[in-house]
Amino acid sequence: LHARPAALLVQAAKRFASDISIVVRDQAASAKSILGVLALGVDRGSRITIRAEGEDAEDALASLTRLIETNFGELGVRALRGLPSSRGIAIGPVYRCCRAGLLCEPRVVIDRAAEWARFEAALEGARDQLAAVHAGVSDDFGAGHAAIFNAQAMMLEDPELVQGVRSAIEGRGLNAECALLDTTEAYAEKLGSLDDEYLRGRAADVRDVAARVVRVLLGVDDSPFVGLTEPSVIIAPDLTPSDIALLDKSLVLGFCTAEGGPTSHAAILARALGLPAVVGAGSDVLGLRSGMLVVLDGGEGALVVDPDESTLDEYRARQGTIGGALAEARAHAHEPVVTREGRRVEVLANIGSVAEARVALEAGAAGVGLLRTEFLYLGRTRMPDEDEQYHAYRAILDALGDRPVVLRTLDLGSDKGAPFLSLPRESNPFLGVRGIRLGLSRPELLRTQLRAALRASVGHDVRLLFPLVATLGELRAARTLLEECRAELVAEGCAVADVGPIGVMIEVPAAALIIDKLALEADFFSIGTNDLSQYVMAADRTNAGVASLVSGFQPAVLRLVRDIIRVAHDHGRRVGLCGELAGEPLAIPILLGLGLDEFSMTPLAIPLAKQILRALSLSQAEAIAQTALDMDSPEAVQAVVRSQMPGVDMGGV
Ligand code: PEP
Ligand code: MG
């Protein structure tokens, strides 16, 4: 057990809550301690015993035994590891992506004016391509996901950038390709060195858009998938959002990238498509040749190279189980969820566009628990006016018919910017003017939206929801604004809906602590665990360094969720949850046990969530919740749920 296999063993052991030890001769060491395992001095041919004690002991033993039997990936089965990004198993040949080379040698051009004209024409071509990609992504994934291509198009119009290229061409006589790459690389490097992880990620967008223009200049194919003719597992250094948007879904079984993180746009799009994906697997994966057989396990973050028959059989069986369970879940997706005791639980969708509304209906959503309205604003250079907003809401509401829709008012600020707002720089944007604070400090913004929403709601079941409320004063001010808007519209003779139930998002610990007071003035609550977790744990949700703290499975977060539901119920108010946690298979039993009334999640998660809910009795869920909330860590919480749900498909988690 030298360093590499010992590290793999320890890494695998740490995924379990049980106490696990390795015993050799008369010595024992914790399997979670790398120094302990190394100090055992286990050499080839040694007989070792693995001992596990705890709720997930069986699983731990099976997993560690499998690791040893497969020789830690050194012989026979070779498994490369990356970050799990999108669940599912893909089995097929590798397609090693290689872009048409963007070999750009610096050249001195004689006719500088002609070179500048050539550049301008390429810009125009790239803009047209981006508009087409934007339209395609809007249709397939929704406007929220497409916003990035608007932002890329804006980069091409950036006067500083264009001026930089112009002076390189006209001043220095440099060819257009190199003039552009030199100029954009300076921006990309600047962005890449920022502290903010999200902004660092935008360096990839600058390079993506520059490469697009260069491809137009060189007249080479835009797609990295030229030559992809049979269904394959894509291996690439990294994939850009436009790559994913362009891929032919019938030919891509899944993908694995050397670089990138699970919050990259490529990973987000993969989840939206239900495509298995592993990212950040390191440069080893780039050594794989097209045509080699691989197994990609998106849930585990593993890529098994050249699997032997028994490994293949194992994965095919798992793939079949997951596929069968999903098909089974989909077959029942449109049936309501009633627990064994006869209590009805609502499963709703989080959406941001008409396209997502359609996906939600197909997935069996009873309605929409969170309509994110930011898509109308993100990346825009001017504020969408009342009529534009009215039509956008109306299209979504019409697609949903008479189903209930919770429409959240604009939640901009922090990581969600809109250029037309010219927001001042804040040193702590997540603690700054965002959500309802921004709406109340710029009442014309909120007013326009409320008027559009009230007009669009006629004939539909719409409930307004205010984000990031921390005080009673904010709720009161928002309600006053709403009533004023309605009175204005009535006075103007517009058709206008009644002000339906008013909801408050519980994302700030302050709101959770005054929920008894809020309950007197709000009609329902929706817990936003994405933000609530970061504020409870004092850990920025965009900072990879504290990612493990920002988890809805943290016992502290779950305890607060428990208290919110308890107090709200004491005051006769229903509680939903629309953070990512609501769609996490391992969180669902806990949330049901805590008494949650409504689960709202990304549409593709709905069928499995319903299946899990149906498999539970309330008393069983209550027992799971009680044990889980007494655990010491998110891993232990998850282990409790796993061990209490034997025989229930949990989507491979
Ligand atoms: C949340 O914070 O949990 C939430 C649903 O809002 P968003 O992710 O849009 O901030
Ligand atoms: Mg939020």
Side-chain angles (χ1 to χ4, degrees):
L1 274 180
H2 54 84
R4 200 188 77 89
L8 288 173
L9 185 86
V10 171
Q11 194 182 11
K14 280 187 171 165
R15 298 214 319 269
F16 298 93
S18 294
D19 282 326
I20 308 173
S21 49
I22 307 287
V23 187
V24 57
R25 293 175 295 270
D26 55 354
Q27 280 190 65
S30 163
K32 297 180 185 177
S33 156
I34 181 85
L35 292 176
V37 171
L38 286 173
L40 286 174
V42 178
D43 49 18
R44 193 173 290 278
S46 298
R47 175 182 291 271
I48 67 167
T49 304
I50 309 174
R51 246 187 232 142
E53 208 175 327
E55 313 93 343
D56 52 5
E58 297 276 352
D59 290 346
L61 286 182
S63 167
L64 296 188
T65 312
R66 196 164 55 233
L67 184 68
I68 294 170
E69 281 173 355
T70 55
N71 252 332
F72 302 92
E74 286 197 324
L75 290 172
V77 180
R78 187 154 72 98
L80 299 166
R81 297 233 152 238
L83 304 167
S85 278
S86 177
R87 283 189 206 120
I89 290 171
I91 303 175
V94 163
Y95 174 80
R96 172 76 170 79
C97 243
C98 50
R99 278 190 188 285
L102 293 181
L103 265 186
C104 307
E105 294 290 327
R107 281 183 291 116
V108 176
V109 291
I110 310 294
D111 187 346
R112 297 179 183 191
E115 190 68 0
W116 171 246
R118 190 176 150 252
F119 175 71
E120 282 197 305
L123 267 191
E124 201 52 49
R127 251 183 239 128
D128 290 349
Q129 284 183 3
L130 279 173
V133 175
H134 182 272
V137 176
S138 276
D139 285 351
D140 289 355
F141 302 98
H145 290 300
I148 187 68
F149 301 105
N150 262 344
Q152 288 197 354
M154 276 169 59
M155 290 174 189
L156 290 184
E157 281 163 18
D158 190 291
E160 260 185 48
L161 186 138
V162 174
Q163 190 46 44
V165 178
R166 186 168 197 155
S167 51
I169 294 176
E170 293 184 346
R172 292 193 280 140
L174 193 60
N175 55 325
E177 295 86 345
C178 291
L180 175 67
L181 290 177
D182 280 3
T183 314
T184 47
E185 198 46 37
Y187 285 104
E189 273 173 19
K190 223 182 275 170
L191 282 169
S193 66
L194 294 178
D195 289 338
D196 185 302
E197 194 204 352
Y198 179 80
L199 291 176
R200 262 204 318 275
R202 301 290 67 76
D205 287 318
V206 176
R207 293 192 174 109
D208 187 21
V209 81
R212 179 181 296 282
V213 181
V214 171
R215 284 194 295 274
V216 177
L217 281 165
L218 296 174
V220 295
D221 197 308
D222 183 44
S223 165
F225 306 116
V226 272
L228 175 64
T229 50
E230 61 171 332
S232 304
V233 175
I234 307 293
I235 307 284
D238 204 355
L239 290 171
T240 64
S242 46
D243 294 337
I244 306 281
L246 287 169
L247 58 78
D248 176 345
K249 283 139 210 129
S250 65
L251 293 179
V252 177
L253 302 170
F255 67 81
C256 174
T257 61
E259 293 152 31
T263 56
S264 65
H265 284 287
I268 291 170
L269 293 180
R271 286 194 287 276
L273 277 176
L275 207 59
V278 174
V279 299
S283 55
D284 280 0
V285 292
L286 301 178
L288 301 178
R289 290 183 313 277
S290 286
M292 289 172 92
L293 184 65
V294 289
V295 176
L296 179 84
D297 183 341
E300 284 284 314
L303 184 77
V304 182
V305 182
D306 206 7
D308 55 26
E309 265 316 305
S310 75
T311 310
L312 263 182
D313 286 348
E314 196 184 308
Y315 275 107
R316 281 199 191 109
R318 274 184 56 204
Q319 197 181 32
T321 317
I322 295 175
L326 209 59
E328 165 82 12
R330 286 205 188 110
H332 297 284
H334 293 272
E335 296 163 18
V337 174
V338 182
T339 64
R340 292 209 209 133
E341 289 84 349
R343 200 182 117 206
R344 200 183 153 118
V345 182
E346 295 302 341
V347 181
L348 307 158
N350 293 352
I351 66 164
S353 66
V354 181
E356 282 182 316
R358 292 201 192 102
V359 177
L361 292 180
E362 274 166 34
V368 167
L370 175 65
L371 169 56
R372 286 186 168 104
T373 55
E374 294 82 72
F375 71 90
L376 272 167
Y377 305 85
L378 293 177
R380 295 284 296 263
T381 45
R382 69 171 182 86
M383 179 173 140
D385 65 18
E386 184 180 315
D387 273 343
E388 182 184 342
Q389 295 195 38
Y390 164 80
H391 289 296
Y393 301 147
R394 193 79 204 169
I396 293 175
L397 294 172
D398 286 346
L400 292 160
D402 57 2
R403 292 176 184 78
V405 177
V406 175
L407 186 152
R408 181 173 76 181
T409 62
L410 53 98
D411 186 24
L412 298 170
S414 63
D415 61 337
K416 297 176 190 163
F420 70 88
L421 290 172
S422 308
L423 295 174
R425 230 189 117 68
E426 296 176 308
S427 49
N428 278 310
F430 277 109
L431 304 182
V433 185
R434 60 170 299 213
I436 195 68
R437 302 170 187 180
L438 182 72
L440 293 174
S441 73
R442 306 256 187 113
E444 75 288 354
L445 272 178
L446 190 52
R447 206 176 259 286
T448 308
Q449 180 175 42
L450 291 174
R451 284 175 57 99
L454 283 168
R455 284 172 52 205
S457 305
V458 176
H460 291 285
D461 178 359
V462 176
R463 300 133 194 223
L464 291 174
L465 177 67
F466 295 116
L468 212 87
V469 169
T471 69
L472 275 164
E474 288 164 350
L475 172 59
R476 287 178 189 152
R479 191 186 269 279
T480 305
L481 207 60
L482 177 64
E483 275 156 10
E484 280 171 15
C485 288
R486 188 168 187 284
E488 268 169 30
L489 287 165
V490 171
E492 291 165 21
C494 287
V496 53
D498 284 338
V499 172
I502 300 289
V504 168
M505 278 203 81
I506 305 298
E507 300 176 282
V508 182
L513 293 166
I514 56 162
I515 196 139
D516 55 330
K517 300 268 199 185
L518 289 168
L520 301 176
E521 303 185 31
D523 303 298
F524 68 96
F525 298 110
S526 185
I527 308 176
T529 40
N530 304 343
D531 276 313
L532 189 64
S533 311
Q534 71 163 346
Y535 295 129
V536 167
M537 302 305 296
D540 179 345
R541 75 192 242 194
T542 61
N543 180 341
V546 290
S548 63
L549 285 172
V550 197
S551 160
F553 287 100
Q554 286 284 356
V557 176
L558 289 172
R559 286 176 180 215
L560 189 56
V561 169
R562 171 194 63 193
D563 295 347
I564 292 166
I565 298 174
R566 194 184 278 164
V567 179
H569 281 176
D570 285 349
H571 289 78
R573 295 289 177 260
R574 285 174 69 81
V575 186
L577 195 148
C578 61
E580 293 292 306
L581 193 69
E584 284 286 341
L586 293 174
I588 290 170
I590 302 177
L591 296 172
L592 180 71
L594 295 178
L596 192 72
D597 302 298
E598 291 178 2
F599 292 70
S600 192
M601 61 195 67
T602 180
L604 287 182
I606 289 176
L608 182 62
K610 283 187 154 182
Q611 178 116 316
I612 293 170
L613 284 165
R614 282 195 202 101
L616 284 157
S617 70
L618 280 180
S619 51
Q620 185 192 2
E622 279 161 14
I624 294 176
Q626 201 172 3
T627 318
L629 267 59
D630 209 28
M631 292 292 113
D632 298 343
S633 67
E635 294 76 23
V637 167
Q638 292 172 334
V640 164
V641 182
R642 229 182 259 120
S643 66
Q644 301 287 312
M645 304 280 294
V648 179
D649 174 60
M650 303 297 281
V653 291

